[in-house]
Amino acid sequence: MRDSWDSLPVLAQDLIIAGALLLPLLVIGGILLRGFRPLPLVRALMWRFRWANLLFVLLIAVSTGMGIGLIAQERGLRTGSAQAAEKFDLVVTAPGSELTMMLAAVFLQPSAVPLLDGAAYDRIANHPQVQIAAPIAFGDSHDGAPVVGTIAEFVTYLSDGQIEGRIFARSGEAVVGAAIDLRIGDRFTPAHGRGSGADAEAHDGVGIEVVGRMARSGSPWDRAILIPVETVWEVHGLANGHPFEDGDRIGPPFTPELFPGTPAVIVHAGELWANYALRSEFTVAGETMAFFPGTVLADLYRVMGDVRQAMSVMSIVTQVLVAASVLLGLFILTRLFQRQLAMLRALGAPRRFVMAVVWGYGVTLLVAGTMLGLAFGYAAALVLSRIVTHRTDVLVTATITWAEVNLALGFLSAMSVLSLVPALVVLTRPVVENLRQ
Amino acid sequence: MALPLEIKDLEVRAGTRTLLKVGDLSAPAGALIGIRGPSGAGKSTFLHALSGLIEVRGRLCWGEVDLARLRPERRTAFRAHNMGLIFQDFLLFEELSPQANAGLSGLFRTRHDRAPIATRAAEGLARLGVPQGNRTVGSFSGGERQRVAIARALATDPGLLLADEPTASLDRRAADALIEDLTGLLRAGGKTLIAVSHDAHLLERLDRVLTIEDGKVTDDTGVQAA
Ligand SMILES: Nc1ncnc2c1ncn2[C@@H]1O[C@H](COP(=O)(O)OP(=O)(O)OP(=O)(O)O)[C@@H](O)[C@H]1O
Ligand SMILES: [Mg+2]
């Protein structure tokens, strides 16, 4: 049983779950409606109470949409941020908060971070298991976009080699992210600092030429300008990591004594399994700290998950309250229609028909509300994703999965069972009493 | 098909109170009978008993069928096939067209019955001069509404028509026109009518008038118009 279920394709499983959730609704509908045509009367009820109905549909839609949007958004944020951090196996920084360091080094959020010195970098770069040890030097910006100093190898690694134009080959050249509004051949002068405090004149006279553009990655690096780390140092009047005899050479190896410092080093190990050893090796009390951005994110997701859980509970409570008020509303509205319904019985309509009308009316509202709710949820997730993507450049895509659809269907089905209550209540009062009004 | 009525020791009670007591009463199929009496006398109660909407004791036979011995759902089915009901305030679905209102019974009858009901509804509306078209009955006058209600009651081709104050909500002219059309239609179809009414114009067009007072039939002018 278990095995044959597991062997089914995921879509088939989802469809089966959806079917099972809808089963109560379909069974009740089948039993109540068989042989009858309550639709004209349901329509009459819909029209008679149109404003109240609209309100009910919106209430159901908003409460359903809230829950769905929340789940979809959180999942989008998880996958988006995980993808954005994918290339960053191991980050080495000065000791401090892993979260702050990760936000600065991986998500390029502006923050003041202490530097690692040349000796520390040298130790990392020369480790036999380390394939790439990329210094990441940030602090400057252009037009709001961070200007990040690093090495050519890292740019190639980051973009999977998908670069239009070419990689920077000497100091004063730049490769831009896909979202940067500069073309190949353009020149710009970086501003000192980022955001509103940036000083546009500090680096006057410095001209950097764009020579390449990376393919879109869905990470904040799409809005980054990458230049040789040497350029960053030179612009700030520091040594550039190389002795004069080396001329204009850029990239590693660097001379430790001439290495002005870097806030972070991104490490890519030759073999995946080496990462754990490297992390402990590069974690030196009081000197360096090494961490996996993936682990930091996982911790963050756990917190997000808790928040989501709390919000989910609230949204379920909301949904239950909405359900209760809709049922109460149905109850009151059908009371207003009670004489007509009694007249149906007087004309010889079976009880089941009257139930079919009342239930059909309730379920029409529920189905409309739920469908609209799915649309609302999707729209909400879409808008939120846009906002997050715009603010952070972490590409967040909103998707509605079967989990959300099934959540909504479960709610719908449960409510359709509860809608039998007003339908039954209508039948409890004797026909004659209702006719007398 | 119209059915003869036969009542023996009929009693309707609510709790300990006796609302209605009718010893002997019979009427042939196709009779047009009026019922009058003061308010609270039990006229509507009698009509409800005759239509099987309430529990009764004794014998209440339409043809071979004794409603007093049928379970409620069986009485409902009997009503569906043999009776049409008309109310003082019409009880139409304002949101629906006259045709949809008149054909209402088709919504819960078998597929087989649907087409004839729709056809008879349309015929009835035409015969009663109800404005055609897709207008809903919400915009109809009282007289027009009661005509739609009559077409609805007759759409299932019942043998019996039970009416509670059918002209009470209409002005004189509309009431007279309606009385004319209704009695004509019923006589032509050989249908039985039992109508509670205070309207002298209606009562004088019927075969027989019963007076109910304090839950009893106190007068029966069965021979008057025969
Ligand atoms: N379920 C009930 N329980 C107790 N008393 C009832 C019940 N139904 C009706 N009655 C009483 O029975 C009496 C007869 O009622 P009914 O409606 O038949 O009067 P009616 O002759 O139709 O009066 P009207 O001309 O005002 O319509 C009234 O006094 C009414 O209050
Ligand atoms: Mg009455």
Side-chain angles (χ1 to χ4, degrees), chain A residues 35 37 48 339 345-346, chain B residues 79 89 91-92 95 107 114:
Chain A
R37 295 202 166 166
R48 164 83 58 101
R339 291 201 72 215
R345 298 274 295 135
Chain B
R79 199 161 55 239
D89 53 352
L91 287 178
L92 300 175
E95 297 78 10
L107 300 180
R114 261 174 220 150

Side-chain angles (χ1 to χ4, degrees), chain A residues 436, chain B residues 43-44 164-165 196:
Chain A
R436 283 181 198 274
Chain B
K43 306 182 296 293
S44 296
D164 200 344
E165 307 275 10
V196 169

Side-chain angles (χ1 to χ4, degrees), chain B residues 36 55 75 152 169 196 199:
Chain B
R36 69 178 161 208
E55 300 286 337
R75 295 202 300 263
R152 177 178 71 191
S169 301
V196 169
D199 187 342

Side-chain angles (χ1 to χ4, degrees), chain A residues 164-214:
Chain A
E164 176 197 342
R166 61 175 174 83
I167 195 85
F168 49 71
R170 52 186 190 81
S171 187
E173 291 183 340
V175 174
V176 297
I180 291 290
D181 197 18
L182 284 174
R183 266 169 300 171
I184 293 174
D186 283 356
R187 298 182 72 86
F188 68 93
T189 301
H192 186 70
R194 275 181 76 184
S196 52
D199 179 356
E201 273 99 56
H203 301 318
D204 264 359
V206 177
I208 296 178
E209 185 188 356
V210 178
V211 297
R213 172 188 295 277
M214 295 188 289

Side-chain angles (χ1 to χ4, degrees), chain B:
Chain B
M1 186 183 59
L3 297 166
L5 172 67
E6 199 195 314
I7 287 174
K8 196 145 181 70
D9 297 327
L10 178 75
E11 206 182 331
V12 179
R13 309 179 67 159
T16 54
R17 191 178 156 201
T18 300
L19 302 182
L20 183 74
K21 214 166 172 167
V22 181
D24 262 300
L25 188 79
S26 59
L32 304 191
I33 300 172
I35 297 174
R36 69 178 161 208
S39 183
K43 306 182 296 293
S44 296
T45 303
F46 189 38
L47 220 52
H48 293 150
L50 290 170
S51 55
L53 283 168
I54 51 177
E55 300 286 337
V56 300
R57 301 182 185 196
R59 259 171 73 80
L60 198 177
C61 292
W62 288 107
E64 302 293 303
V65 179
D66 185 355
L67 287 186
R69 302 168 68 116
L70 290 187
R71 282 179 292 111
E73 278 307 298
R74 303 275 298 145
R75 295 202 300 263
T76 303
F78 180 82
R79 199 161 55 239
H81 286 92
N82 296 285
M83 295 179 191
L85 271 71
I86 300 173
F87 309 91
Q88 175 179 340
D89 53 352
F90 331 122
L91 287 178
L92 300 175
F93 284 92
E94 312 257 308
E95 297 78 10
L96 300 181
S97 69
Q99 173 66 34
N101 267 292
L104 202 61
S105 296
L107 300 180
F108 51 83
R109 296 282 289 264
T110 59
R111 184 188 307 261
H112 171 83
D113 291 341
R114 261 174 220 150
I117 287 175
T119 312
R120 269 193 301 269
E123 281 169 10
L125 291 172
R127 281 242 285 284
L128 290 159
V130 174
Q132 295 293 318
N134 280 333
R135 239 171 94 192
T136 62
V137 301
S139 61
F140 276 23
S141 72
E144 289 166 340
R145 284 174 198 227
Q146 196 59 299
R147 284 161 193 272
V148 174
I150 292 170
R152 177 178 71 191
L154 295 178
T156 54
D157 196 21
L160 322 165
L161 197 66
L162 305 178
D164 200 344
E165 307 275 10
T167 59
S169 301
L170 309 181
D171 62 33
R172 193 62 265 159
R173 261 174 45 130
D176 286 345
L178 186 90
I179 291 164
E180 191 71 35
D181 290 343
L182 176 64
T183 52
L185 215 57
L186 294 176
R187 288 197 195 279
K191 296 181 191 300
T192 306
L193 169 73
I194 299 187
V196 169
S197 183
H198 289 101
D199 187 342
H201 291 215
L202 171 59
L203 294 176
E204 72 194 12
R205 300 294 293 270
L206 306 181
D207 304 333
R208 179 176 172 187
V209 177
L210 306 178
T211 305
I212 294 185
E213 280 167 308
D214 199 17
K216 290 178 197 71
V217 178
T218 54
D219 191 32
D220 185 350
T221 60
V223 285
Q224 176 204 44

Side-chain angles (χ1 to χ4, degrees), chain A residues 194-250:
Chain A
R194 275 181 76 184
S196 52
D199 179 356
E201 273 99 56
H203 301 318
D204 264 359
V206 177
I208 296 178
E209 185 188 356
V210 178
V211 297
R213 172 188 295 277
M214 295 188 289
R216 192 169 285 277
S217 67
S219 78
W221 293 77
D222 284 342
R223 203 175 294 279
I225 299 171
L226 307 185
I227 59 175
V229 66
E230 288 87 349
T231 310
V232 176
W233 291 327
E234 284 162 4
V235 162
H236 290 87
L238 303 165
N240 75 352
H242 306 289
F244 285 110
E245 309 86 85
D246 281 12
D248 286 341
R249 185 174 72 78
I250 59 165

